[in-house]
Amino acid sequence: MRSHYSIVIPLYNEEVNLPVLYQRLRSLMEAVPGQWEIVLIYDGSRDRTLECLRQLHQQDERICYLSFARNFGHQTAVTAGLNFARGDAVIVMDGDLQDPPELIPEMVKLWQQGYAVIYAQRTRRYQEGWFKRLTAYVFYRLLQQLADVEIPLDTGDFCLLDRQVVTVLNHMPERNRYVRGLRSWVGFRQIALPYERDPRYGGEIKYTFRKSLKLAITGLVSFSTVPLRISTYLGLFSAGLALVMAALVIYWRITSPESRLTGYAIIAAAVFFLGAVQLFSIGILGEYIGRIYEEVKQRPLYTLAEVAGFETVLPRTNGDKTPQHPA
Ligand code: UDP
Ligand code: MG
């Protein structure tokens, strides 16, 4: 049985990396028995990425691409790629060669042994700033503590997914997508593949601090309700503190009526403290309510300006591989 593989790659201003990525992938995939396609998602770049895509598609019909009408973000691009990919096994990777394509044959081997999700786990990161490494380190550990499902440490989106898993992911309606969390949530047989994360080949990092923070909050809020409870705990804590303060004030009033501590200072402290707790709690509520609102609006996840390369009918090897086009 010849298997069919899809490689899903979201691209945002990756014009410098694209030709090298294609060369490396091609020489690798030629060695893997079976058919393959590369699904590139153009996420509204500001450079010549789209022209590069069109050109590659002209050269090699195994290259299919989707072009978003604007920048929708990495997680949405991965989702769109999964929607359109037609392979029995779908590989998701970054377009900057930080995820070494040389890992794919190993993933394929594990897939053939019956694993449904093979996720690459970083053991080392090269040439990424200390701030990014530190925040990532703290975040993944915090998420593991708080999340309702076991989300493995230090794993990004680089993975191989069996068709069964892709079908389940495609049927998940949520808009705020934290793909690596959803991937853990679905279950099936999962296995980690350790690797050392290479430095970016060319171009600039696209995940600004703001985007990373947004992704981190989505991850936490989508997979944990513990933050909602934080406000309850904080409320209880501040109530306790207020009682202690009141007791102290009464005590000082009785023992030393002339004490200045009973004055404005304590009131000011109490007001500040309660104000902070309330703002914090409202903030947490806001995060969840904002997301509920997003889900309720039922907007499509992305808008497509151009789709190419999906016309060819691929030989079906097993199961239902009808591509889904929800947008
Ligand atoms: N990316 C994207 N849309 C965005 C930001 C990033 O499609 O809005 C893509 C980017 O082109 C790359 C991948 O997501 O293929 C990872 O981005 P980056 O290398 O900047 O992030 P990091 O490696 O630091 O996680
Ligand atoms: Mg990168």
Side-chain angles (χ1 to χ4, degrees), residues 133-166:
R133 289 208 311 268
L134 178 77
T135 44
Y137 182 88
V138 173
F139 166 70
Y140 284 111
R141 271 138 200 93
L142 183 72
L143 182 66
Q144 201 184 39
Q145 286 299 313
L146 297 186
D148 313 324
V149 284
E150 178 85 13
I151 299 178
L153 290 174
D154 302 321
T155 57
D157 288 324
F158 188 22
C159 65
L160 182 148
L161 304 172
D162 183 73
R163 169 52 47 188
Q164 246 185 322
V165 176
V166 176

Short mmCIF file of all heavy atoms in Angstrom, two decimals, residues 133-166:
data_model
loop_
_atom_site.label_atom_id
_atom_site.label_comp_id
_atom_site.label_asym_id
_atom_site.label_seq_id
_atom_site.Cartn_x
_atom_site.Cartn_y
_atom_site.Cartn_z
N ARG A 133 13.55 32.05 25.48
CA ARG A 133 13.76 30.73 26.06
C ARG A 133 13.18 30.66 27.47
O ARG A 133 12.52 29.70 27.84
CB ARG A 133 15.24 30.37 26.07
CG ARG A 133 15.79 30.07 24.67
CD ARG A 133 16.96 29.12 24.74
NE ARG A 133 17.96 29.53 25.72
CZ ARG A 133 19.01 30.31 25.45
NH1 ARG A 133 19.19 30.73 24.23
NH2 ARG A 133 19.86 30.65 26.39
N LEU A 134 13.43 31.73 28.24
CA LEU A 134 12.96 31.75 29.63
C LEU A 134 11.44 31.76 29.69
O LEU A 134 10.82 30.96 30.40
CB LEU A 134 13.54 32.97 30.36
CG LEU A 134 13.07 33.11 31.81
CD1 LEU A 134 13.81 32.13 32.70
CD2 LEU A 134 13.28 34.53 32.33
N THR A 135 10.83 32.67 28.90
CA THR A 135 9.37 32.77 28.96
C THR A 135 8.73 31.47 28.47
O THR A 135 7.75 31.00 29.04
CB THR A 135 8.84 33.96 28.13
OG1 THR A 135 9.53 33.98 26.88
CG2 THR A 135 9.04 35.27 28.84
N ALA A 136 9.32 30.87 27.42
CA ALA A 136 8.77 29.61 26.91
C ALA A 136 8.89 28.53 27.98
O ALA A 136 7.95 27.76 28.23
CB ALA A 136 9.51 29.18 25.64
N TYR A 137 10.03 28.50 28.66
CA TYR A 137 10.28 27.49 29.70
C TYR A 137 9.21 27.61 30.80
O TYR A 137 8.56 26.64 31.16
CB TYR A 137 11.68 27.70 30.28
CG TYR A 137 12.06 26.69 31.32
CD1 TYR A 137 12.65 25.48 30.95
CD2 TYR A 137 11.82 26.92 32.68
CE1 TYR A 137 13.00 24.54 31.91
CE2 TYR A 137 12.16 25.98 33.63
CZ TYR A 137 12.75 24.79 33.24
OH TYR A 137 13.07 23.86 34.19
N VAL A 138 9.01 28.83 31.28
CA VAL A 138 8.05 29.06 32.36
C VAL A 138 6.64 28.73 31.87
O VAL A 138 5.89 28.02 32.54
CB VAL A 138 8.13 30.51 32.86
CG1 VAL A 138 7.02 30.81 33.86
CG2 VAL A 138 9.49 30.79 33.47
N PHE A 139 6.30 29.22 30.67
CA PHE A 139 4.94 29.04 30.18
C PHE A 139 4.56 27.56 30.05
O PHE A 139 3.51 27.14 30.51
CB PHE A 139 4.75 29.74 28.82
CG PHE A 139 3.49 29.31 28.13
CD1 PHE A 139 2.25 29.68 28.64
CD2 PHE A 139 3.54 28.49 27.02
CE1 PHE A 139 1.09 29.25 28.03
CE2 PHE A 139 2.38 28.06 26.40
CZ PHE A 139 1.16 28.44 26.92
N TYR A 140 5.42 26.76 29.42
CA TYR A 140 5.05 25.36 29.20
C TYR A 140 4.87 24.61 30.51
O TYR A 140 4.02 23.73 30.63
CB TYR A 140 6.08 24.66 28.30
CG TYR A 140 5.90 25.06 26.86
CD1 TYR A 140 6.84 25.84 26.21
CD2 TYR A 140 4.76 24.68 26.15
CE1 TYR A 140 6.67 26.23 24.89
CE2 TYR A 140 4.57 25.07 24.84
CZ TYR A 140 5.53 25.84 24.21
OH TYR A 140 5.35 26.22 22.92
N ARG A 141 5.68 25.00 31.54
CA ARG A 141 5.53 24.35 32.84
C ARG A 141 4.25 24.80 33.55
O ARG A 141 3.54 23.98 34.14
CB ARG A 141 6.77 24.59 33.70
CG ARG A 141 7.77 23.50 33.43
CD ARG A 141 9.21 23.96 33.31
NE ARG A 141 9.99 22.94 32.62
CZ ARG A 141 10.22 22.92 31.30
NH1 ARG A 141 9.70 23.85 30.51
NH2 ARG A 141 10.92 21.96 30.74
N LEU A 142 3.94 26.08 33.43
CA LEU A 142 2.71 26.60 34.02
C LEU A 142 1.50 25.94 33.37
O LEU A 142 0.57 25.49 34.05
CB LEU A 142 2.66 28.12 33.81
CG LEU A 142 1.46 28.84 34.42
CD1 LEU A 142 1.61 28.89 35.93
CD2 LEU A 142 1.35 30.26 33.88
N LEU A 143 1.54 25.85 32.05
CA LEU A 143 0.42 25.26 31.30
C LEU A 143 0.22 23.81 31.73
O LEU A 143 -0.90 23.35 31.92
CB LEU A 143 0.69 25.35 29.80
CG LEU A 143 -0.43 24.81 28.90
CD1 LEU A 143 -1.69 25.66 29.03
CD2 LEU A 143 0.00 24.77 27.45
N GLN A 144 1.34 23.09 31.90
CA GLN A 144 1.19 21.69 32.28
C GLN A 144 0.55 21.56 33.66
O GLN A 144 -0.26 20.66 33.89
CB GLN A 144 2.55 20.99 32.27
CG GLN A 144 2.36 19.50 32.14
CD GLN A 144 3.65 18.73 32.22
OE1 GLN A 144 4.55 19.05 32.99
NE2 GLN A 144 3.75 17.70 31.42
N GLN A 145 0.88 22.49 34.55
CA GLN A 145 0.29 22.46 35.89
C GLN A 145 -1.20 22.76 35.83
O GLN A 145 -1.98 22.13 36.53
CB GLN A 145 0.97 23.52 36.79
CG GLN A 145 2.36 23.15 37.23
CD GLN A 145 2.37 21.87 38.04
OE1 GLN A 145 1.57 21.70 38.95
NE2 GLN A 145 3.26 20.94 37.69
N LEU A 146 -1.58 23.72 35.00
CA LEU A 146 -2.95 24.22 35.04
C LEU A 146 -3.91 23.49 34.10
O LEU A 146 -5.11 23.43 34.35
CB LEU A 146 -2.99 25.71 34.71
CG LEU A 146 -2.24 26.64 35.68
CD1 LEU A 146 -2.47 28.09 35.30
CD2 LEU A 146 -2.67 26.41 37.12
N ALA A 147 -3.39 22.96 32.99
CA ALA A 147 -4.28 22.43 31.95
C ALA A 147 -5.03 21.18 32.41
O ALA A 147 -4.53 20.41 33.22
CB ALA A 147 -3.49 22.12 30.70
N ASP A 148 -6.23 21.04 31.87
CA ASP A 148 -7.07 19.87 32.20
C ASP A 148 -6.58 18.63 31.47
O ASP A 148 -6.89 17.52 31.88
CB ASP A 148 -8.52 20.14 31.80
CG ASP A 148 -9.00 21.50 32.26
OD1 ASP A 148 -8.59 21.91 33.36
OD2 ASP A 148 -9.77 22.15 31.54
N VAL A 149 -5.89 18.81 30.35
CA VAL A 149 -5.32 17.65 29.66
C VAL A 149 -3.81 17.72 29.76
O VAL A 149 -3.24 18.77 29.98
CB VAL A 149 -5.69 17.61 28.15
CG1 VAL A 149 -7.10 17.16 27.95
CG2 VAL A 149 -5.40 18.92 27.48
N GLU A 150 -3.20 16.56 29.61
CA GLU A 150 -1.74 16.50 29.68
C GLU A 150 -1.16 17.06 28.39
O GLU A 150 -1.26 16.44 27.33
CB GLU A 150 -1.35 15.03 29.87
CG GLU A 150 0.13 14.77 29.92
CD GLU A 150 0.72 14.95 31.31
OE1 GLU A 150 -0.05 15.06 32.29
OE2 GLU A 150 1.94 15.01 31.40
N ILE A 151 -0.59 18.26 28.44
CA ILE A 151 0.05 18.84 27.26
C ILE A 151 1.56 18.70 27.46
O ILE A 151 2.11 19.24 28.41
CB ILE A 151 -0.34 20.32 27.07
CG1 ILE A 151 -1.86 20.41 26.88
CG2 ILE A 151 0.38 20.92 25.88
CD1 ILE A 151 -2.39 21.81 26.72
N PRO A 152 2.24 17.92 26.59
CA PRO A 152 3.66 17.66 26.82
C PRO A 152 4.49 18.93 26.82
O PRO A 152 4.17 19.90 26.13
CB PRO A 152 4.06 16.74 25.67
CG PRO A 152 2.86 16.50 24.86
CD PRO A 152 1.73 17.30 25.38
N LEU A 153 5.56 18.92 27.61
CA LEU A 153 6.43 20.08 27.74
C LEU A 153 7.22 20.33 26.45
O LEU A 153 7.56 19.39 25.74
CB LEU A 153 7.44 19.83 28.86
CG LEU A 153 6.91 19.82 30.28
CD1 LEU A 153 8.00 19.40 31.24
CD2 LEU A 153 6.38 21.19 30.66
N ASP A 154 7.54 21.59 26.20
CA ASP A 154 8.46 21.97 25.11
C ASP A 154 8.13 21.36 23.76
O ASP A 154 9.02 20.90 23.04
CB ASP A 154 9.90 21.62 25.48
CG ASP A 154 10.32 22.31 26.77
OD1 ASP A 154 9.94 23.48 26.94
OD2 ASP A 154 11.02 21.69 27.57
N THR A 155 6.85 21.32 23.41
CA THR A 155 6.51 20.85 22.07
C THR A 155 5.83 22.00 21.34
O THR A 155 5.01 22.71 21.89
CB THR A 155 5.54 19.66 22.11
OG1 THR A 155 4.38 20.04 22.84
CG2 THR A 155 6.18 18.47 22.78
N GLY A 156 6.21 22.15 20.09
CA GLY A 156 5.59 23.18 19.26
C GLY A 156 4.58 22.50 18.35
O GLY A 156 4.02 21.46 18.69
N ASP A 157 4.39 23.08 17.17
CA ASP A 157 3.42 22.49 16.26
C ASP A 157 4.02 21.44 15.34
O ASP A 157 3.30 20.80 14.58
CB ASP A 157 2.76 23.60 15.43
CG ASP A 157 1.82 24.42 16.30
OD1 ASP A 157 1.18 23.83 17.18
OD2 ASP A 157 1.72 25.63 16.10
N PHE A 158 5.32 21.26 15.37
CA PHE A 158 5.98 20.29 14.49
C PHE A 158 5.55 18.87 14.87
O PHE A 158 5.84 18.41 15.97
CB PHE A 158 7.50 20.45 14.63
CG PHE A 158 8.31 19.64 13.65
CD1 PHE A 158 7.77 19.20 12.46
CD2 PHE A 158 9.64 19.35 13.92
CE1 PHE A 158 8.53 18.48 11.55
CE2 PHE A 158 10.42 18.63 13.03
CZ PHE A 158 9.85 18.19 11.84
N CYS A 159 4.82 18.23 13.98
CA CYS A 159 4.31 16.90 14.31
C CYS A 159 3.84 16.16 13.06
O CYS A 159 3.75 16.74 11.98
CB CYS A 159 3.12 17.01 15.26
SG CYS A 159 1.71 17.83 14.54
N LEU A 160 3.57 14.88 13.23
CA LEU A 160 2.91 14.11 12.18
C LEU A 160 1.59 13.63 12.76
O LEU A 160 1.53 13.14 13.88
CB LEU A 160 3.76 12.91 11.77
CG LEU A 160 3.21 12.04 10.64
CD1 LEU A 160 4.34 11.45 9.81
CD2 LEU A 160 2.32 10.90 11.13
N LEU A 161 0.52 13.81 11.99
CA LEU A 161 -0.81 13.43 12.46
C LEU A 161 -1.41 12.40 11.51
O LEU A 161 -1.34 12.56 10.29
CB LEU A 161 -1.74 14.64 12.50
CG LEU A 161 -1.30 15.84 13.33
CD1 LEU A 161 -2.23 17.01 13.08
CD2 LEU A 161 -1.27 15.49 14.80
N ASP A 162 -2.00 11.38 12.08
CA ASP A 162 -2.70 10.40 11.26
C ASP A 162 -4.02 11.01 10.75
O ASP A 162 -4.56 11.91 11.38
CB ASP A 162 -3.00 9.17 12.12
CG ASP A 162 -3.66 8.06 11.32
OD1 ASP A 162 -2.94 7.44 10.53
OD2 ASP A 162 -4.88 7.86 11.48
N ARG A 163 -4.51 10.49 9.65
CA ARG A 163 -5.75 11.00 9.06
C ARG A 163 -6.90 11.04 10.07
O ARG A 163 -7.67 11.99 10.12
CB ARG A 163 -6.09 10.13 7.84
CG ARG A 163 -7.45 10.29 7.21
CD ARG A 163 -7.86 11.68 6.85
NE ARG A 163 -6.87 12.48 6.14
CZ ARG A 163 -7.02 13.77 5.88
NH1 ARG A 163 -8.10 14.42 6.27
NH2 ARG A 163 -6.09 14.43 5.25
N GLN A 164 -6.97 10.00 10.91
CA GLN A 164 -8.04 9.94 11.92
C GLN A 164 -8.01 11.18 12.82
O GLN A 164 -9.05 11.77 13.11
CB GLN A 164 -7.75 8.74 12.82
CG GLN A 164 -8.76 7.63 12.73
CD GLN A 164 -8.43 6.55 13.75
OE1 GLN A 164 -7.27 6.23 14.00
NE2 GLN A 164 -9.46 5.99 14.33
N VAL A 165 -6.81 11.56 13.24
CA VAL A 165 -6.65 12.71 14.13
C VAL A 165 -7.01 14.00 13.38
O VAL A 165 -7.68 14.88 13.92
CB VAL A 165 -5.21 12.78 14.66
CG1 VAL A 165 -4.99 14.01 15.50
CG2 VAL A 165 -4.88 11.53 15.44
N VAL A 166 -6.57 14.10 12.13
CA VAL A 166 -6.85 15.29 11.35
C VAL A 166 -8.36 15.47 11.19
O VAL A 166 -8.88 16.57 11.32
CB VAL A 166 -6.15 15.22 9.96
CG1 VAL A 166 -6.51 16.42 9.10
CG2 VAL A 166 -4.64 15.14 10.14
#
